[in-house]
Amino acid sequence: MYSEKVMDHFMNPRNVGEIEDASGVGTVGNARCGDIMKVYLKIEDNIIKDAKFKTFGCGAAVATSSMATELVIGKTIEEALKISNKSVAEALDGLPPVKMHCSLLAEESLHAALWDYAKKNNIKIEGLEEPKEDIHEHEEEAGCCNA
Amino acid sequence: MYSEKVMDHFMNPRNVGEIEDASGVGTVGNARCGDIMKVYLKIEDNIIKDAKFKTFGCGAAVATSSMATELVIGKTIEEALKISNKSVAEALDGLPPVKMHCSLLAEESLHAALWDYAKKNNIKIEGLEEPKEDIHEHEEEAGCCNA
Amino acid sequence: MNKIYLDNAATTPVKKEVVEAMLPYFTENFGNPSSVYQLAQINKKAIDEARETIAKCLGANTNEIFFTSGGTEADNWAIKGIAEVSKGKGNHIITSKIEHHAILHTCEYLEKQGYEITYLDVDSEGMVNPEDVKRAIKDTTILITIMYANNEIGTIMPISEIGKIAKEHNIPFHTDAVQAIGQVKIDVKEQNIDLLSLSGHKFNGPKGIGVLYIKRGLKIGTFIHGGAQERGRRAGTENVPGIVGLGKAIELAYEHFDDKVARLTTLRDELIEGLIRSIPYCKLNGHKTDRLPNNVNIGVEFVEGESLLLLLDMNGIAASSGSACTSGSLDPSHVLLALGLPHEKAHGSVRFTLGEQTTKEQIDFVIEKMPPIVQRMREMSPLYEDFLKTNK
Amino acid sequence: MNKIYLDNAATTPVKKEVVEAMLPYFTENFGNPSSVYQLAQINKKAIDEARETIAKCLGANTNEIFFTSGGTEADNWAIKGIAEVSKGKGNHIITSKIEHHAILHTCEYLEKQGYEITYLDVDSEGMVNPEDVKRAIKDTTILITIMYANNEIGTIMPISEIGKIAKEHNIPFHTDAVQAIGQVKIDVKEQNIDLLSLSGHKFNGPKGIGVLYIKRGLKIGTFIHGGAQERGRRAGTENVPGIVGLGKAIELAYEHFDDKVARLTTLRDELIEGLIRSIPYCKLNGHKTDRLPNNVNIGVEFVEGESLLLLLDMNGIAASSGSACTSGSLDPSHVLLALGLPHEKAHGSVRFTLGEQTTKEQIDFVIEKMPPIVQRMREMSPLYEDFLKTNK
Ligand SMILES: Cc1ncc(COP(=O)(O)O)c(C=O)c1O
Ligand SMILES: Cc1ncc(COP(=O)(O)O)c(C=O)c1O
């Protein structure tokens, strides 16, 4: 079902944990759908120095969290904003169709953490929108986890 | 499907043929149902001296014709009348349920031949009714050959 | 006694290679394909591969192939599924008088629910006239279902023409191709087929597994509700060994396709000619050339089919009289009656259907055995007696 | 790595003896049972024998056993078939919230057609209350369908009581016994069961074959129309190897019944106790004693099911989270929600279902492996983080 890369990131997830004095923290997903992703970012001089995550979710959710944090470390905020759900999925050699929504979760949690950072520092990040409370809200029709 | 006895009578049918100067001849069944039975009887002094048949029909039809003629030879008319479809079927060690109607055909063809004999000789045989034109007429509902 | 099996239209022996392909999926790779763990993933892959093979053989896409429990379920699904989603649109279905009971009885069932069914006549060779199909179309027509080739008489229908007419009128077209697979090349796209039924056991695959091809985008109701198998369209734990066996069987059936068809056609024509030459008062039922390469159906006057079959069986020859389903009840074949045959002739037909295992020697054996069997039966036939007397 | 299969509720490996019993019917005795010749008669006999074995196991008569393509078809047939013949009579069906999707989705389908369905609640251990059944009955009730034992949590329902109620009210009673066969002794007559579904692949038989028991005299519509197989009530060429396999499997499942159940019950309770003892914040889902002897379902807080399954799989343990069908989509289990579990707990359940091949060593291995896996997952769980923070 999962690519080798997904399984690698699931079995050996990178950057699991918390950042004590994080510059921004974002949590998305909900327990109803069985996926919650929490991302911690450490940002200095517009550059993401470190990223950590905690995830309650399926194999794809864990792997995309791991991959997203890996992709984002060392990037500027602007570069980080360009990380889309598709690029995360591609970096993992693809995801099963029913699991594509998980990569959306990774994108959204990054954005939520950046939004938190911007709010705390009272700055505006071009192109970043306020995260939805629950990214699944608009997906009800497609079934909870069958995006 | 068929008992050994049925197969024996089908493979080696007794009394196949015609009787040139038959005392009575009876034909029942119809081509629509795929079963036609013709019985020839030679009757002398109220005793059935000989019986022959020709049958167009399934294995059970052939076997019951054969068995019915065998049972009837040597019997008095009154005894012959007692030969029922059940007794023919029993003498054959039974018939599959869907084939029970064939034994009815044997009974009816015997009766038809006796009726013919009675008519020719202007006598009345106690307990013998005029044969129906087509014994299947009243069976339409049950399907042609699924009595 | 030599066993000669000439009833391949009823069912076929499963090929050794097919059984071998299936075996691992009983005891080792037995997992439920819907599960997460690796054991299950092997099965999922096996199913996908079978689906791909089948799609390729039909000119379809893999996501248009849905596994069923056989041809009958596929036929039921196609007709009832279209009927269900067409409720506001219409209630008229066009079919033919010589379809398999899986089609006819389903249509009769719908008739009782208020649907209107047109059962098209066929000509004396069992052919549906595409013009008749066109004429039968109404505003309310929701489905045309015409079999690809008839199971009793082997006549191959003008499917491409009917497909074209259906397409022009924007009416879904289903074909029961249960008898055609492996004998006639089919291309669902070129032939404008929207729905197609097939069944594994007719081409040396296993019983209890079949396929409904559903053209992408075609709206059709679900027939068996439950789990999310077959992308939510046919519920029930997948019959993995069956699916694998079906895939293998169709793959083998498409190997050396043309050679196989040529060989069968030759044997078929030898049998037809041999029988007609050596038995008086008999004739071929069905079309002479637009005919399945494995089908021989001979009308033998004055004799009854079941008796004939029993005597053939005694000689080691397994054949059929009409379809296998009907030979139990011995109701006269609706197909032969539709050709215009009178009842007694419909009762006196015998069908030999050849298979890959059929040899020239077997054909010769049948040609040798049939005449005395027929003669013997005629000697005890009151119909033959009448015939001789009136023609003296 | 040792492969430990603990998902026998999803499907089971086919036993060697069963495969061996099936094999001759692929290649040698392959004839169509409806045919006249001897080759076909062997198959007919084999089918009859299987039917007899099954009937005996259920306390039924042979003419009450009808073969289907599996549990799902049997469930569809039972419900839709009763709905169809009850048209003038009523439109109300009583079922429970924790039925298999084969029941629930069929009921939902009928709901759209205008039928009224009562989905009974269950208690926190998954038990349907017979009094609730009684209270739900209306003048228009045409069917009560309650599963014999639940596939996810293993709770065994009070079937005899419900059967009694159904009988008193003269309402047909169907039970989906797919999970119960071979684990619980069933007597359809004593328990007043009118319709019962079972499926071969749940007790070491083949996939793609099942049975609907239909009490003699019960009026029910035909679901699959076509040929005259199964005495005209279920069309389609018989899956002879499947039928033979199912017959053999049920015969074996009933051998040493009590010993087998006792052994499984012991293992089951060891596993339950071992896990609950060694993992904090976890509990048993379902009833403690009115429970299938092979079912262990544990709610593990703060972890998500699929991840848990993947890690178990990496350790050579095949298990399931809820039913296999749903683990593909990972929608939270409707069964666990019906018990009153909140969503995050419903997502964090794991089901181990034991089989005849399960050993004490395997159980010990699972008890050893689970705690570190759970611990590892909790360490990366934001829910666990929150829990620890709020409870500090
Ligand atoms: C309780 C229950 N009912 C019905 C089914 C469906 O059976 P099948 O997969 O044979 O269609 C299953 C298993 O999948 C089940 O566990
Ligand atoms: C033309 C045709 N359609 C449908 C069927 C039914 O297929 P199955 O027996 O696989 O259900 C058959 C054979 O029995 C057939 O010959």
Side-chain angles (χ1 to χ4, degrees):
Chain A
M1 173 157 89
Y2 290 130
S3 70
E4 268 178 47
K5 213 145 185 188
V6 171
M7 284 311 292
D8 176 36
H9 275 265
F10 170 71
M11 292 301 292
N12 313 293
R14 285 54 149 177
N15 310 310
V16 174
E18 302 168 44
I19 298 177
E20 282 294 310
D21 53 346
S23 320
V25 182
T27 307
V28 296
N30 73 23
R32 181 170 175 161
C33 293
D35 276 326
I36 298 172
M37 216 176 270
K38 187 168 185 178
V39 170
Y40 299 82
L41 297 179
K42 175 112 200 133
I43 302 174
E44 277 169 24
D45 302 331
N46 202 42
I47 297 209
I48 297 165
K49 293 283 183 189
D50 198 9
K52 295 247 184 253
F53 80 91
K54 286 214 173 172
T55 288
F56 168 90
C58 64
V62 173
T64 51
S65 308
S66 165
M67 178 54 85
T69 52
E70 225 182 26
L71 286 176
V72 88
I73 292 174
K75 292 233 168 29
T76 64
I77 288 176
E78 290 68 31
E79 286 166 343
L81 269 180
K82 287 200 194 111
I83 295 171
S84 69
N85 66 321
K86 286 214 185 75
S87 56
V88 176
E90 269 164 28
L92 287 166
D93 294 345
L95 284 172
V98 290
K99 297 292 187 181
M100 276 306 289
H101 87 105
C102 299
S103 55
L104 204 61
L105 214 55
E107 179 188 320
E108 299 273 344
S109 60
L110 269 186
H111 287 189
L114 288 172
W115 181 268
D116 181 49
Y117 165 73
K119 220 171 62 177
K120 275 182 185 155
N121 292 280
N122 220 350
I123 58 173
K124 190 174 156 32
I125 299 174
E126 205 57 51
L128 183 67
E129 284 172 36
E130 181 165 3
K132 304 177 205 86
E133 269 295 281
D134 171 7
I135 66 152
H136 292 294
E137 263 170 13
H138 58 293
E139 290 183 290
E140 279 299 337
E141 283 201 2
C144 197
C145 301
N146 275 317
Chain B
M1 173 157 87
Y2 290 130
S3 70
E4 267 178 49
K5 214 148 185 183
V6 171
M7 283 312 291
D8 176 37
H9 276 266
F10 170 71
M11 292 301 291
N12 314 293
R14 285 55 148 176
N15 311 310
V16 173
E18 302 168 44
I19 299 177
E20 282 294 309
D21 52 346
S23 320
V25 182
T27 308
V28 297
N30 73 22
R32 181 172 176 164
C33 292
D35 276 327
I36 298 173
M37 215 175 271
K38 188 170 185 177
V39 170
Y40 299 83
L41 296 179
K42 175 110 199 135
I43 302 174
E44 278 171 23
D45 302 332
N46 202 41
I47 296 212
I48 296 165
K49 293 281 181 187
D50 198 8
K52 295 245 184 256
F53 79 93
K54 286 213 172 174
T55 288
F56 167 91
C58 64
V62 172
T64 51
S65 307
S66 165
M67 178 54 85
T69 52
E70 228 185 20
L71 287 176
V72 89
I73 292 174
K75 293 234 168 27
T76 65
I77 288 175
E78 289 68 34
E79 286 166 343
L81 269 179
K82 288 199 192 112
I83 295 171
S84 68
N85 65 321
K86 286 214 185 79
S87 56
V88 176
E90 270 164 26
L92 286 166
D93 294 344
L95 284 173
V98 289
K99 298 292 188 181
M100 276 307 288
H101 86 107
C102 299
S103 55
L104 205 61
L105 214 55
E107 177 187 323
E108 299 273 344
S109 60
L110 269 185
H111 288 188
L114 288 172
W115 183 267
D116 181 50
Y117 165 74
K119 218 169 64 176
K120 276 182 187 157
N121 293 281
N122 222 347
I123 57 173
K124 189 171 155 36
I125 300 174
E126 206 59 50
L128 183 66
E129 284 172 36
E130 181 165 4
K132 304 177 205 89
E133 269 295 282
D134 170 8
I135 66 152
H136 293 293
E137 263 169 13
H138 58 293
E139 289 184 289
E140 279 301 337
E141 282 201 2
C144 198
C145 300
N146 275 317
Chain C
M1 196 195 324
N2 226 341
K3 283 282 165 203
I4 301 182
Y5 184 71
L6 290 172
D7 200 14
N8 288 280
T11 195
T12 54
V14 184
K15 279 203 187 139
K16 282 228 162 56
E17 299 97 302
V18 172
V19 178
E20 269 156 33
M22 293 169 73
L23 276 179
Y25 295 91
F26 288 113
T27 45
E28 294 157 47
N29 307 333
F30 63 85
N32 191 320
S34 303
S35 303
V36 173
Y37 38 79
Q38 291 170 35
L39 178 63
Q41 301 303 313
I42 300 170
N43 290 349
K44 214 174 159 194
K45 215 176 133 222
I47 293 176
D48 287 346
E49 280 169 11
R51 209 188 297 279
E52 210 169 301
T53 308
I54 297 158
K56 223 178 273 169
C57 292
L58 300 177
N61 301 319
T62 49
N63 59 7
E64 297 175 319
I65 303 298
F66 296 88
F67 291 106
T68 69
S69 66
T72 299
E73 186 194 319
D75 285 345
N76 273 259
W77 183 6
I79 297 175
K80 293 175 187 169
I82 291 292
E84 189 191 324
V85 296
S86 309
K87 274 192 178 141
K89 232 180 106 197
N91 70 338
H92 178 238
I93 295 173
I94 299 170
T95 186
S96 86
K97 284 196 176 147
I98 67 165
E99 300 295 313
H100 190 269
H101 281 153
I103 298 287
L104 289 181
H105 289 340
T106 303
C107 286
E108 286 156 16
Y109 163 78
L110 286 182
E111 225 168 353
K112 281 193 206 125
Q113 316 288 312
Y115 287 82
E116 184 195 357
I117 318 284
T118 298
Y119 300 94
L120 295 177
D121 281 319
V122 293
D123 69 16
S124 63
E125 290 167 324
M127 196 68 81
V128 167
N129 185 342
E131 287 303 311
D132 288 348
V133 175
K134 199 186 266 177
R135 268 191 293 272
I137 293 174
K138 311 185 184 192
D139 287 349
T140 52
T141 307
I142 54 171
L143 177 68
I144 297 168
T145 173
I146 301 289
M147 69 200 318
Y148 208 111
N150 183 269
N151 46 308
E152 295 193 31
I153 54 171
T155 302
I156 300 171
M157 301 297 173
I159 291 302
S160 299
E161 284 90 323
I162 298 170
K164 199 156 157 268
I165 292 166
K167 196 188 171 184
E168 280 163 13
H169 291 78
N170 206 16
I171 298 167
F173 174 41
H174 169 252
T175 188
D176 174 344
V178 167
Q179 290 291 337
I181 298 296
Q183 303 212 58
V184 191
K185 282 220 178 120
I186 297 175
D187 188 312
V188 290
K189 304 293 166 198
E190 261 181 32
Q191 298 182 284
N192 295 308
I193 297 167
D194 300 300
L195 293 154
L196 178 146
S197 308
L198 63 84
S199 179
H201 71 99
K202 304 288 188 182
F203 47 90
N204 305 102
K207 294 179 176 66
I209 188 79
V211 161
L212 182 63
Y213 152 81
I214 305 175
K215 189 182 169 171
R216 214 192 136 144
L218 184 72
K219 262 193 83 178
I220 182 165
T222 295
F223 180 54
I224 298 191
H225 295 84
Q229 293 91 351
E230 299 295 285
R231 288 182 292 125
R233 297 178 77 169
R234 200 287 189 183
T237 303
E238 296 90 339
N239 177 354
V240 186
I243 290 171
V244 168
L246 174 54
K248 189 73 190 170
I250 206 167
E251 182 193 317
L252 296 174
Y254 271 72
E255 270 179 10
H256 319 296
F257 201 103
D258 298 334
D259 292 351
K260 202 187 64 183
V261 165
R263 191 185 81 89
L264 283 177
T265 306
T266 305
L267 287 178
R268 174 195 77 187
D269 291 342
E270 277 172 15
L271 182 53
I272 292 171
E273 280 151 34
L275 292 177
I276 296 216
R277 201 186 328 112
S278 58
I279 304 171
Y281 313 116
C282 79
K283 75 176 262 296
L284 181 70
N285 291 318
H287 199 280
K288 206 164 155 28
T289 51
D290 287 338
R291 181 179 199 94
L292 289 176
N294 79 337
N295 179 292
V296 174
N297 188 313
I298 302 281
V300 187
E301 283 198 62
F302 318 121
V303 306
E304 192 276 336
E306 197 210 69
S307 285
L308 192 51
L309 295 190
L310 286 173
L311 287 172
L312 286 168
D313 190 27
M314 290 295 145
N315 282 278
I317 301 165
S320 139
S321 171
S323 90
C325 307
T326 51
S327 74
S329 75
L330 283 182
D331 276 337
S333 147
H334 67 282
V335 176
L336 299 174
L337 293 178
L339 302 186
L341 291 188
H343 278 84
E344 66 272 23
K345 290 198 189 175
H347 273 292
S349 292
V350 60
R351 178 187 72 177
F352 301 101
T353 40
L354 287 52
E356 295 200 26
Q357 74 289 356
T358 308
T359 62
K360 171 92 171 83
E361 288 68 44
Q362 295 182 335
I363 296 300
D364 290 343
F365 185 79
V366 175
I367 295 172
E368 181 199 324
K369 288 291 172 191
M370 267 285 277
I373 289 175
V374 170
Q375 187 50 30
R376 179 182 160 178
M377 287 186 60
R378 282 180 177 166
E379 271 159 21
M380 72 162 91
S381 166
L383 295 176
Y384 191 58
E385 182 185 317
D386 291 350
F387 170 78
L388 291 182
K389 278 177 187 155
T390 36
N391 287 274
K392 234 189 286 191
Chain D
M1 198 194 320
N2 227 341
K3 282 283 166 202
I4 301 181
Y5 183 72
L6 289 172
D7 199 14
N8 288 280
T11 195
T12 54
V14 184
K15 278 203 188 139
K16 281 228 163 56
E17 299 96 302
V18 172
V19 177
E20 268 157 34
M22 294 169 74
L23 276 179
Y25 295 91
F26 288 113
T27 47
E28 293 158 47
N29 307 334
F30 62 84
N32 190 318
S34 303
S35 303
V36 173
Y37 38 80
Q38 293 170 32
L39 177 63
Q41 301 304 314
I42 301 169
N43 290 349
K44 214 174 154 191
K45 215 176 132 223
I47 293 176
D48 287 345
E49 281 169 10
R51 210 187 298 279
E52 211 170 300
T53 308
I54 297 158
K56 221 176 278 169
C57 292
L58 300 177
N61 300 319
T62 50
N63 59 6
E64 298 176 317
I65 302 298
F66 297 87
F67 291 106
T68 68
S69 65
T72 300
E73 186 194 320
D75 285 345
N76 273 257
W77 183 6
I79 296 175
K80 293 175 187 170
I82 290 293
E84 190 190 324
V85 295
S86 308
K87 274 193 178 140
K89 232 181 107 197
N91 70 338
H92 178 238
I93 295 173
I94 299 170
T95 186
S96 85
K97 284 196 176 149
I98 67 165
E99 299 294 312
H100 190 268
H101 281 152
I103 298 287
L104 288 182
H105 289 339
T106 302
C107 286
E108 286 157 15
Y109 164 78
L110 286 182
E111 225 168 353
K112 281 192 205 125
Q113 316 289 312
Y115 287 82
E116 184 196 356
I117 317 284
T118 299
Y119 301 95
L120 295 177
D121 282 320
V122 293
D123 69 16
S124 63
E125 289 167 327
M127 197 68 81
V128 167
N129 185 342
E131 287 303 312
D132 288 347
V133 176
K134 199 185 267 178
R135 269 189 293 270
I137 292 174
K138 311 186 184 193
D139 286 347
T140 53
T141 306
I142 55 173
L143 178 68
I144 297 168
T145 173
I146 301 289
M147 69 200 317
Y148 208 110
N150 183 269
N151 45 308
E152 295 193 31
I153 53 172
T155 302
I156 299 171
M157 300 297 172
I159 291 302
S160 300
E161 284 90 324
I162 298 170
K164 197 156 160 268
I165 293 166
K167 196 187 170 186
E168 279 163 12
H169 291 78
N170 206 16
I171 298 167
F173 174 42
H174 169 252
T175 187
D176 174 345
V178 168
Q179 291 291 338
I181 299 295
Q183 302 210 58
V184 191
K185 282 222 178 117
I186 297 175
D187 189 312
V188 290
K189 304 292 167 201
E190 261 182 33
Q191 299 182 284
N192 294 308
I193 297 168
D194 299 300
L195 293 155
L196 177 145
S197 308
L198 64 84
S199 179
H201 70 100
K202 303 287 188 184
F203 47 90
N204 305 101
K207 294 179 176 66
I209 188 78
V211 160
L212 183 62
Y213 152 82
I214 305 175
K215 189 182 171 173
R216 213 192 137 147
L218 184 72
K219 261 194 84 179
I220 181 166
T222 295
F223 181 54
I224 297 192
H225 294 85
Q229 294 90 353
E230 299 294 286
R231 288 182 293 126
R233 297 178 78 168
R234 200 287 190 181
T237 302
E238 298 89 339
N239 178 355
V240 186
I243 290 170
V244 169
L246 173 54
K248 189 73 191 170
I250 206 167
E251 182 193 317
L252 296 174
Y254 271 72
E255 270 178 9
H256 318 296
F257 201 101
D258 298 333
D259 292 350
K260 202 186 65 183
V261 165
R263 192 186 79 90
L264 283 177
T265 305
T266 306
L267 286 179
R268 175 195 77 187
D269 291 341
E270 276 172 16
L271 182 53
I272 292 172
E273 280 151 33
L275 292 177
I276 298 219
R277 201 185 328 110
S278 57
I279 304 171
Y281 314 117
C282 80
K283 74 176 262 297
L284 180 71
N285 291 319
H287 199 280
K288 204 163 153 32
T289 51
D290 287 338
R291 180 178 200 94
L292 288 177
N294 79 338
N295 178 293
V296 174
N297 188 314
I298 302 281
V300 187
E301 282 198 65
F302 318 120
V303 307
E304 191 277 336
E306 196 210 70
S307 286
L308 191 52
L309 295 190
L310 286 172
L311 287 172
L312 286 167
D313 190 25
M314 289 296 143
N315 283 278
I317 301 165
S320 140
S321 171
S323 90
C325 306
T326 50
S327 74
S329 75
L330 286 182
D331 276 337
S333 148
H334 66 281
V335 176
L336 299 175
L337 293 179
L339 301 187
L341 292 189
H343 279 83
E344 67 271 23
K345 290 198 188 173
H347 274 292
S349 293
V350 59
R351 178 186 73 179
F352 301 100
T353 41
L354 287 53
E356 295 201 26
Q357 72 290 353
T358 308
T359 61
K360 172 92 172 81
E361 288 69 42
Q362 295 181 335
I363 295 301
D364 290 342
F365 185 79
V366 174
I367 295 172
E368 179 198 327
K369 288 292 171 187
M370 268 284 279
I373 289 175
V374 170
Q375 186 50 29
R376 180 181 159 176
M377 287 187 60
R378 283 181 175 163
E379 271 159 22
M380 69 162 94
S381 166
L383 295 177
Y384 192 56
E385 183 186 317
D386 290 351
F387 170 79
L388 290 183
K389 278 178 188 156
T390 36
N391 286 275
K392 235 191 288 193

